[in-house]
Structures are given as C-alpha cells and as structure tokens.
Amino acid sequence: MNSRHEELLMTIDRLGIVKIKHLLSIHNLSSYRNACRVVNQLSEYTHQIYYEKEKVIYLNKAGREYIGSDKEVTKSMQIGHYLLRNDVYIHFDCPYDWKNEYTLEVEEAPSRKVDGIIFGDQMKVNNKKKVVADALFTRNGYTHIIEIDNQLNMTDNRKKVQSYAEIIPLVRKNFESTPIIYFFTTTEARKTKLSAWLRERSLRAEVKLYDEIK
C-alpha cells in the first residue's frame, strides 16, 4: 500500500462513512473514474455498499487495524447524517482540526441543596451541563460549531438550541471568542424556525440549507 492509499484510509476513518465524490474532492483524485479505480484498490480494507444509488465506503476490521483505529462504523448507523456532515466539512475547505461528535461540557457550582441525586446514603450533585455538537473546528481565532439537521423533529431542535443558550455563556472563557453555531437544514420552513429560535436566545449563529452549499 502506498502513502496515497494510507491517506485515503485515514480520511475514511476520520469522517466515518464517505462517498466516492467526497474522496475525489478532498484528495484531488482528478476524475470520478480515477477515484472509483482508487477506491477499488482499497477493497481489502473497506466495506463498500450502496446508499440511495451511490457507493459509500467505510473501514472494515482490516482497515481499522492497518491504521490503528478503534472507531467502528456499521451500515446500521445514520449514513445520511454522516454524508451530509461530510458535505459541510468540504464546504469549509476541510478544516485540519475538524472533530466529529464534540462534547461541550461544564460543571457549575450548585445553587441549591436539592440540586442532587441520592445514591444510597450519599448525595451526588447534579450540576453538569453538556451538549454534543455534530462537529467543531477553529479558524482565524473563531470556534465554529456544526449542527446537521436532517432527522430530528423540530421539538428536539428547539431543545438543542436552548441547551446551547445555557452552555455557551458557561464555556465562553474556554475560547478566544464567542463560538459561532452553524445549523445546516433541509427546508426553508425549518431554516426560518431555527433562525428565529437562535435569535431569541441571542446566539451567534447562521442557518443554511444543504442546497446552498452544493
């Protein structure tokens, strides 16, 4: 295996599940035909299945072992979610420090004695706040938080906006500037609702349609 093949395996591992066109764009493989040829050379190390009439690729056990990864992906996972997140990754020119499923977590000082959960004869203080972003990266001193909206119902989206409103002021000191939240969504109606909720919570944010970045 040459260094180009190893780079491709590392990209597949980093993104989880990819389309051939993702690898074509990220690694400048010159043409779709050439990208298909290169992907076929990786068959020993990958699973290659079809999703909505397009071939998608993820690492098999041999591929994970070859690059020393413990991130197992299965075809039962949210393939559409992964692929849309890849589109956003490419839209932002493949940030070097892009992290999938990034956890923002903070522990507050308890405000009341009842803010706790009793375990046996001990009380455990319940004062942690946590939000798991679909991805996060930094650029030019700014932290960018990515949310991929393709399956959540709007009630869950509203709850997530509220969670960001609660946690961003608490983690602000960990960043050089106030993080920017980007929601990517599917329809104008969802975009309008998300934009309104983010404005109501005074969050620094943008909402885009997937069609706007293709």
Side-chain angles (χ1 to χ4, degrees), residues 48-61:
Q48 301 182 23
I49 62 173
Y50 282 88
Y51 175 78
E52 296 185 348
K53 299 181 180 180
E54 284 192 80
K55 183 180 283 189
V56 297
I57 304 102
Y58 58 101
L59 297 187
N60 60 20
K61 182 178 179 182

Side-chain angles (χ1 to χ4, degrees), residues 28-157:
N28 300 314
L29 297 177
S30 73
S31 69
Y32 188 82
R33 181 177 180 180
N34 182 57
C36 290
R37 180 184 63 81
V38 173
V39 165
N40 286 336
Q41 293 171 350
L42 300 175
S43 60
E44 179 182 351
Y45 302 97
T46 59
H47 292 296
Q48 301 182 23
I49 62 173
Y50 282 88
Y51 175 78
E52 296 185 348
K53 299 181 180 180
E54 284 192 80
K55 183 180 283 189
V56 297
I57 304 102
Y58 58 101
L59 297 187
N60 60 20
K61 182 178 179 182
R64 296 194 304 274
E65 289 179 349
Y66 187 87
I67 63 171
S69 173
D70 59 1
K71 295 188 294 184
E72 184 174 3
V73 173
T74 68
K75 64 181 180 181
S76 64
M77 299 177 81
Q78 297 179 335
I79 295 177
H81 189 272
Y82 276 67
L83 300 180
L84 288 171
R85 184 167 58 190
N86 295 347
D87 290 339
V88 174
Y89 171 73
I90 293 169
H91 169 69
F92 283 108
D93 297 322
C94 309
Y96 76 95
D97 62 347
W98 178 277
K99 300 178 182 67
N100 288 338
E101 307 298 326
Y102 187 90
T103 300
L104 297 167
E105 186 173 14
V106 67
E107 187 168 345
E108 293 183 288
S111 58
R112 297 178 299 160
K113 291 183 178 180
V114 296
D115 289 337
I117 301 173
I118 296 175
F119 292 93
D121 58 355
Q122 294 183 331
M123 173 173 276
K124 182 178 178 62
V125 177
N126 185 27
N127 57 351
K128 285 188 177 181
K129 292 186 180 295
K130 180 172 73 172
V131 178
V132 180
D134 287 320
L136 180 145
F137 70 96
T138 59
R139 180 171 290 166
N140 299 326
Y142 292 96
T143 298
H144 303 265
I145 295 171
I146 307 300
E147 283 296 328
I148 303 299
D149 170 40
N150 69 311
Q151 292 181 327
L152 284 180
N153 62 52
M154 293 307 286
T155 300
D156 289 334
N157 276 328

Side-chain angles (χ1 to χ4, degrees), residues 13-28:
D13 179 64
R14 184 180 199 183
L15 299 180
I17 301 173
V18 301
K19 294 180 181 179
I20 291 176
K21 74 173 185 179
H22 292 148
L23 297 177
L24 169 63
S25 178
I26 294 167
H27 290 278
N28 300 314

